[in-house]
């Protein structure tokens, strides 16, 4: 899938953001190894801490439908949905990526529009990350 198509899907996902408290709207589009895309938005909560970021919404949707291999995620965000700058994933979302993605190959795409984006590998955003390899010594899939 072309990056600009993933950007378009992230922008579309952002339109569903539920962000009445911060007003900061985020959208994500997660590309699976088998070519599917899972979209996610941030979902805030009056009690604040239950808030879920757009990236984790996308990951949890995908994993809950049996997906375990991922190629890339595109993220867009801005105050009131205005895409002025690049929105990088929070630390918790980087850790969730670390659980399911190869930090050497998984790409994180930060976009402003379909022509402007930056790309990073997960290992650049989460150096020396702690992941499944630290705990799982033998072949295990569940
Ligand atoms: N947010 C995300 O959805 N993803 C990020 O990577 C950064 C933060 C959301 C959470 C909250 O709803 C709002 O942005 C302000 O923090």
């Amino acid at each position: 899938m072309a990056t600009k198509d993933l950007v378009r899907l992230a922008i579309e996902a952002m339109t569903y953001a539920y962000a009445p408290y911060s007003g900061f709207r985020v959208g994500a589009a997660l590309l699976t190894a088998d070519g599917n895309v899972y979209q996610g938005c941030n979902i805030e909560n009056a009690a604040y801490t239950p808030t879920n970021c757009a990236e984790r919404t996308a990951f949890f949707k995908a994993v809950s439908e049996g997906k375990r291999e991922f190629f890339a995620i595109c993220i867009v965000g801005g105050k009131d949905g205005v895409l002025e700058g690049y929105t990088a994933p929070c630390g918790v979302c980087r850790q969730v990526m670390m659980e399911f993605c190869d930090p050497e190959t998984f790409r994180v795409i930060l976009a402003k529009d379909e022509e402007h984006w930056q790309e990073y590998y997960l290992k650049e955003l989460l150096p020396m990350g702690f992941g499944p390899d630290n705990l799982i010594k033998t072949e295990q899939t569940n």
Side-chain angles (χ1 to χ4, degrees):
M1 160 169 294
T3 298
K4 70 173 172 47
D5 293 324
L6 209 56
V7 174
R8 185 176 48 75
L9 290 168
I11 292 171
E12 180 184 89
M14 188 185 67
T15 66
Y16 299 114
Y18 176 74
Y21 306 109
S22 74
F24 196 86
R25 305 173 73 82
V26 185
L30 175 63
L31 178 63
T32 67
D34 59 5
N36 287 109
V37 176
Y38 285 81
Q39 294 167 287
C41 64
N42 55 330
I43 304 169
E44 297 187 347
N45 189 282
Y48 290 9
T49 55
T51 292
N52 209 53
C53 290
E55 300 89 322
R56 277 177 287 146
T57 301
F59 267 94
F60 295 158
K61 283 172 67 178
V63 173
S64 71
E65 294 187 20
K67 305 299 178 184
R68 291 284 176 89
E69 283 185 60
F70 304 101
F71 278 174
I73 190 168
C74 178
I75 304 162
V76 298
K79 187 77 179 165
D80 301 323
V82 178
L83 303 180
E84 286 174 334
Y86 295 106
T87 296
C90 80
V92 172
C93 289
R94 293 177 200 206
Q95 186 64 36
V96 168
M97 293 174 198
M98 186 71 197
E99 187 66 29
F100 296 105
C101 307
D102 179 349
E104 306 270 337
T105 60
F106 184 72
R107 289 177 303 130
V108 179
I109 301 161
L110 314 181
K112 277 201 286 205
D113 55 47
E114 288 172 42
E115 274 81 45
H116 299 90
W117 64 78
Q118 301 176 344
E119 284 193 35
Y120 300 90
Y121 287 112
L122 177 57
K123 70 172 178 194
E124 298 177 273
L125 300 182
L126 191 63
M128 289 183 71
F130 184 86
D133 287 352
N134 293 99
L135 296 180
I136 301 170
K137 301 279 186 247
T138 55
E139 190 70 20
Q140 189 178 321
T141 54
N142 61 357

